[in-house]
């Protein structure tokens, strides 16, 4: 009898331990169908961003710019503009600032050029526009939107995309416009390290060591929004990664990798080591977990960033929004420039992990 009781107790204990392990994490849903809200979130890139590596002045400059951009996008939503408008307004502002690796502040390729990528997606219609390999377009996000709204295509690259920009009367600039000392110095530093043959062990699936260097991957920008009509939108814009090979295209202009929006699930914009985001289809994967497994957005984002991306050896992060205005922020890098409007309608700007 005693043996039966102990076996029973042991069995109960094992079941309860197994249960604890598979129990879903705490779900904190603030918004629902009864109380959807306008929502707006931006990021300015993820990477090795630590308190120690940032001067007080620089931190102040980033925070001020992020807040200015956040408020401009949110104001657009409050005045009745669409989520697509808010996303474009915010991303253009970050593209015009040298602080971010997009537009003006784009990083340099291995042969000392700037090659810009961007995309945007409409969560209501699933229409999308993407551009890559640009050298003269001042605001790639606006060209991505033009591809979406004024062409029968989703993606245009290089000279053809720039020809289309001209036809659409978008602003083109001389390549010199994108030259900044800081980005140039970053390229020189990497080239020097390459010369010295600094061997860096690589995670599986990669053959280059360019992405291992801390200062060559942050600053991509993105925005996601939910407007008064309940429509989601997402956009991302980048110069890519310092020392990328000429012609390399990252995740930012790949719909489903760096950018995705669908009113039925979520809006996501990512930043980080693009090759991994493409291989995992990060943005679409997060939305799929919500769609097929009914996961709350933060849990879906954490599963993809902290499990899948982490296990594959990649790094970076995402901002996400569901159709009720719940926000998810998830990154496995040291930091991520990010800002959002909280539940009380107040701006929150953050940079570091904690
Ligand atoms: N994801 C971008 C790329 O790989 C880089 C970044 O987010 O900083 O092109």
């Amino acid at each position: 009898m005693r043996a039966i009781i102990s076996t029973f107790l042991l069995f109960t204990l094992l079941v309860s331990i197994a249960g604890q392990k598979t129990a879903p994490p705490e779900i904190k849903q603030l918004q629902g169908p009864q109380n959807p809200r306008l929502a707006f979130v931006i990021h300015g890139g993820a990477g090795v961003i630590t308190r120690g590596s940032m001067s007080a002045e620089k931190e102040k400059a980033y925070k001020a710019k992020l807040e200015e951009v956040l408020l401009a996008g949110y104001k657009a939503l409050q005045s009745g503009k669409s989520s697509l408008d808010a996303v474009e307004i915010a991303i253009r502002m970050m593209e015009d600032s040298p602080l971010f690796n997009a537009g003006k502040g784009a990083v340099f390729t291995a042969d000392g050029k700037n090659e810009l990528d961007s995309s945007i997606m409409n969560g209501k219609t699933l229409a999308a526009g993407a551009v890559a390999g640009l050298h003269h377009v001042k605001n790639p996000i606006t060209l991505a939107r033009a591809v979406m709204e004024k062409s029968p295509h989703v993606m245009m690259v290089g000279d053809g995309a720039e020809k289309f920009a001209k036809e659409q009367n978008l602003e083109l600039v001389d390549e010199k416009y994108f030259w900044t000392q800081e980005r140039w110095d970053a390229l020189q530093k990497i080239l020097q390290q390459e010369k010295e043959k600094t061997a860096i062990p690589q995670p599986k699936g990669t053959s280059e060591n360019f992405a291992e260097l801390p200062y060559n991957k942050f600053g991509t920008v993105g925005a996601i929004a939910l407007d008064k009509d309940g429509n989601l939108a997402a956009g991302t814009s980048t110069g890519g990664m310092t020392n990328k090979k000429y012609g390399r295209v990252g995740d930012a202009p790949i719909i489903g990798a760096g950018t995705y929006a669908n009113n039925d699930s979520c809006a996501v914009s990512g930043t980080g080591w693009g090759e991994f985001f493409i291989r995992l289809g990060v943005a679409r994967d997060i939305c799929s977990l919500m769609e097929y497994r009914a996961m709350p957005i933060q849990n879906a984002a954490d599963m993809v960033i902290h499990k899948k991306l982490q296990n594959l050896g990649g790094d970076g992060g995402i901002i996400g929004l569901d159709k009720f205005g719940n926000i998810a922020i998830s990154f496995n890098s040291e930091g991520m420039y990010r800002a959002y409007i909280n539940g009380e309608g107040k701006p929150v700007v953050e940079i570091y992990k904690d």
Side-chain angles (χ1 to χ4, degrees):
M1 187 61 184
R2 204 176 275 168
I4 294 175
I5 291 173
S6 2
T7 313
F8 175 73
L9 285 177
L10 184 66
F11 177 72
T12 320
L13 185 70
L14 286 175
V15 166
S16 89
I17 289 171
Q20 273 170 21
K21 272 200 177 148
T22 52
E26 196 192 343
I27 296 170
K28 273 201 222 132
Q29 290 289 71
L30 299 172
Q31 314 296 136
Q34 335 69 10
N35 63 342
R37 62 171 182 133
L38 296 181
F40 194 57
V41 191
I42 59 171
H43 72 75
V48 185
I49 313 164
T50 55
R51 281 195 172 79
S53 66
M54 175 99 68
S55 70
E57 250 167 47
K58 213 167 178 189
E59 182 178 318
K60 214 168 132 199
Y62 273 105
K63 283 193 163 163
K65 193 72 199 176
L66 286 166
E67 183 163 329
E68 183 194 339
V69 171
L70 178 78
L71 293 176
Y74 192 52
K75 217 166 116 198
L77 292 175
Q78 285 176 311
S79 71
K81 286 204 156 73
S82 70
S83 49
L84 281 171
D85 288 338
V87 163
E88 186 187 354
I89 287 168
I91 292 184
R92 281 182 68 100
M93 287 172 78
M94 291 191 277
E95 285 175 341
D96 290 344
S97 161
L99 289 176
F100 305 100
N101 170 20
K104 171 75 187 149
V107 298
F108 285 93
T109 61
D111 57 352
K113 296 207 161 121
N114 307 98
E115 280 182 5
L116 317 178
D117 303 339
S118 181
S119 67
I120 192 163
M121 186 159 185
N122 179 339
K124 181 182 176 192
T125 60
L126 302 191
V131 286
L134 309 174
H135 296 114
H136 302 94
V137 177
K138 186 164 179 259
N139 292 108
I141 190 70
T142 299
L143 181 57
R145 188 166 179 185
V147 169
M148 174 172 77
E149 293 176 343
K150 298 183 178 144
S151 89
H153 308 302
V154 168
M155 188 168 203
M156 294 177 78
V157 303
D159 292 348
E162 298 207 319
K163 191 171 168 190
F164 181 65
K166 211 166 173 187
E167 284 166 17
Q168 293 297 318
N169 293 320
L170 300 189
E171 193 171 350
L172 298 175
V173 290
D174 190 276
E175 286 178 75
K176 282 195 215 97
Y177 167 80
F178 300 108
W179 196 95
T180 57
Q181 188 71 52
E182 198 180 332
R183 304 300 189 199
W184 183 252
D185 292 347
L187 175 65
Q188 302 316 311
K189 206 165 168 180
I190 294 185
L191 292 177
Q192 185 59 35
Q193 264 161 332
E194 265 189 356
K195 238 194 239 158
E196 288 160 9
K197 296 217 173 9
T198 320
I200 300 160
Q202 290 302 293
K204 50 187 179 217
T206 57
S207 55
E208 295 288 338
N209 70 3
F210 77 104
E212 274 301 292
L213 300 160
Y215 41 82
N216 72 342
K217 44 174 174 167
F218 51 84
T220 287
V221 306
I224 50 177
L226 177 65
D227 64 24
K228 65 171 191 342
D229 299 318
N231 292 322
L232 287 166
T236 311
S237 184
T238 189
M241 295 166 88
T242 304
N243 197 31
K244 67 182 180 182
K245 290 264 185 286
Y246 19 83
R248 176 262 190 187
V249 175
D251 61 313
I254 306 293
I255 296 301
T259 304
Y260 197 73
N262 183 340
N263 280 3
D264 288 338
S265 51
C266 68
V268 171
S269 170
T271 170
W273 194 341
E275 278 69 10
F276 288 85
F277 277 61
I278 295 174
R279 290 165 62 202
L280 288 169
V282 163
R284 171 65 216 183
D285 202 27
I286 293 170
C287 294
S288 296
L289 286 171
M290 297 181 66
E291 200 174 329
Y292 303 138
R293 286 178 61 181
M295 283 176 84
I297 188 153
Q298 186 67 53
N299 302 45
D302 287 343
M303 174 170 276
V304 174
I305 298 299
H306 291 289
K307 294 213 171 95
K308 295 185 173 189
L309 182 68
Q310 180 80 30
N311 291 345
L312 203 58
D315 64 358
I318 65 95
I319 51 172
L321 260 186
D322 73 11
K323 60 185 170 190
F324 305 122
N326 293 300
I327 293 171
I329 291 176
S330 189
F331 56 96
N332 69 346
S333 48
E334 288 297 324
M336 180 163 92
Y337 298 109
R338 57 203 189 272
Y340 57 94
I341 300 294
N342 71 10
E344 283 91 54
K346 297 268 175 326
V348 179
V349 180
E350 292 168 334
I351 297 180
Y352 310 108
K353 210 182 264 174
D354 38 45

